[in-house]
Amino acid sequence: MPPARPLSLVTGASAGIGAAFARALAARGHDLVLTARRRERLDALAAELQQQYGCTATVLAADLADPAAPSALCAELDRRGLAVDWLINNAGYGVPGSFTANDWRTHADSLQVLLTAPVELAWRLLPGMRERGYGRIVNVASLAGHVPGTAGHTLYAPAKAFLIKFSQGLTLESREHGVHVCALCPGFTYSEFHDVTGTRALMNKLPGFMWQSANAVVSEGIAAVERGAAVHVTGRVNRTIKRVFKLMPDRLAFRLSARQGRRYRQAD
């Protein structure tokens, strides 16, 4: 049985899908720990949620590109006596341009945020969930993890594919302990993601039916992890795209993905 007021840790909570998760979970009666780099945004969101829903919203600003951040974050949770019931591994971003167009530090930081931080947070928080017999982990992956890789944003899709496999493995290890793990795989979502990567003008060329709101993505994600789905692709359009690519011969799928990628990737 879940606690009367579950505590949810949301990474990348300052905007987009992370902020939408925070709002949706507060509306469900959760208390929150919000983390991201931009403390002023977190403070504003925490005040909004506390006033609207009467929850407790704790702000712990952190940069998950720092390898020490996950352990420091969990140490602070322990110091405050906060036991996390829901972990929303949402923090992430893409690095535009080709692989060699960026320096190694840029790639290393992105891999730390996309891969190492979510895995470490799960490793540190999962034992407590199992001991209490209840927990939920949502690893925000992407439709990109289900289709062939493209030129540009070279590490993003591989990182998301890793999160999908990681979530499947954790599901098999954890479900008998009352812990559900889900890789949530949205497609194009209205958020700051493409503004940060400088590809907004290119993305605006996509037809409207390709896009989902962050609230819609989050609604599907919460329902999926609650029912025990190890992987969930959001939206009928995205699920259709996944099925089509799965049915194609590998060579054809690769060629199609490469052609589409050239239309919507930023040149060096």
Side-chain angles (χ1 to χ4, degrees):
M1 292 292 293
R5 291 196 64 86
L7 178 66
S8 294
L9 169 61
V10 183
T11 72
S14 60
I17 292 174
F21 258 114
R23 292 187 174 96
L25 293 170
R28 289 167 61 92
H30 290 219
D31 290 325
L32 298 163
V33 177
L34 307 175
T35 188
R37 292 175 300 166
R38 296 176 291 189
R39 185 180 188 95
E40 67 283 356
R41 288 202 178 192
L42 296 177
D43 287 339
L45 179 60
E48 171 198 326
L49 298 179
Q50 289 176 147
Q51 180 176 9
Q52 186 169 359
Y53 299 108
C55 65
T56 298
T58 301
V59 170
L60 297 177
D63 183 357
L64 292 179
D66 179 356
S71 60
L73 186 59
C74 292
E76 183 62 19
L77 292 171
D78 289 341
R79 190 186 72 80
R80 298 182 183 219
L82 298 173
V84 172
D85 303 298
W86 283 58
L87 169 61
I88 310 298
N89 274 319
N90 166 75
Y93 59 93
V95 176
S98 68
F99 183 57
T100 56
N102 293 282
D103 61 33
W104 176 245
R105 183 73 264 156
T106 298
H107 290 313
D109 287 349
S110 73
L111 289 173
Q112 173 66 32
V113 174
L114 292 170
L115 289 179
T116 306
V119 171
E120 183 175 352
L121 287 172
W123 180 80
R124 290 183 179 280
L125 297 174
L126 186 56
M129 295 179 184
R130 289 180 177 178
E131 183 178 343
R132 297 187 297 274
Y134 174 82
R136 301 288 185 264
I137 298 175
V138 177
N139 294 314
V140 179
S142 173
L143 175 65
H146 291 284
V147 301
T150 62
H153 292 273
T154 323
L155 297 179
Y156 185 80
K160 296 305 186 180
F162 173 93
L163 284 181
I164 292 167
K165 298 299 185 183
F166 173 62
S167 300
Q168 290 172 327
L170 275 194
T171 292
L172 296 176
E173 293 183 10
S174 303
R175 59 189 178 189
E176 66 184 56
H177 301 283
V179 180
H180 296 178
V181 183
C182 180
L184 179 63
C185 303
F188 295 107
T189 306
Y190 290 114
S191 70
E192 294 183 350
F193 182 91
H194 299 293
D195 300 302
V196 172
T197 60
T199 56
R200 173 59 60 195
L202 290 171
M203 293 300 104
N204 286 343
K205 297 178 182 180
L206 284 166
F209 67 82
M210 295 287 294
W211 294 86
Q212 281 188 292
S213 70
N215 289 337
V217 168
V218 166
S219 178
E220 289 193 43
I222 291 174
V225 74
E226 285 283 52
R227 69 173 179 266
V231 180
H232 179 73
V233 178
T234 68
R236 281 180 284 186
V237 170
N238 296 323
R239 288 191 287 272
T240 299
I241 291 171
K242 179 195 170 187
R243 285 194 291 268
V244 168
F245 271 97
K246 188 174 182 180
L247 292 171
M248 281 183 184
D250 288 347
R251 182 178 295 181
L252 178 59
F254 183 68
R255 288 173 60 188
L256 178 60
S257 182
R259 186 176 67 183
Q260 291 300 106
R262 284 194 296 269
R263 296 175 62 188
Y264 301 109
R265 295 297 186 194
Q266 178 177 297
D268 293 340

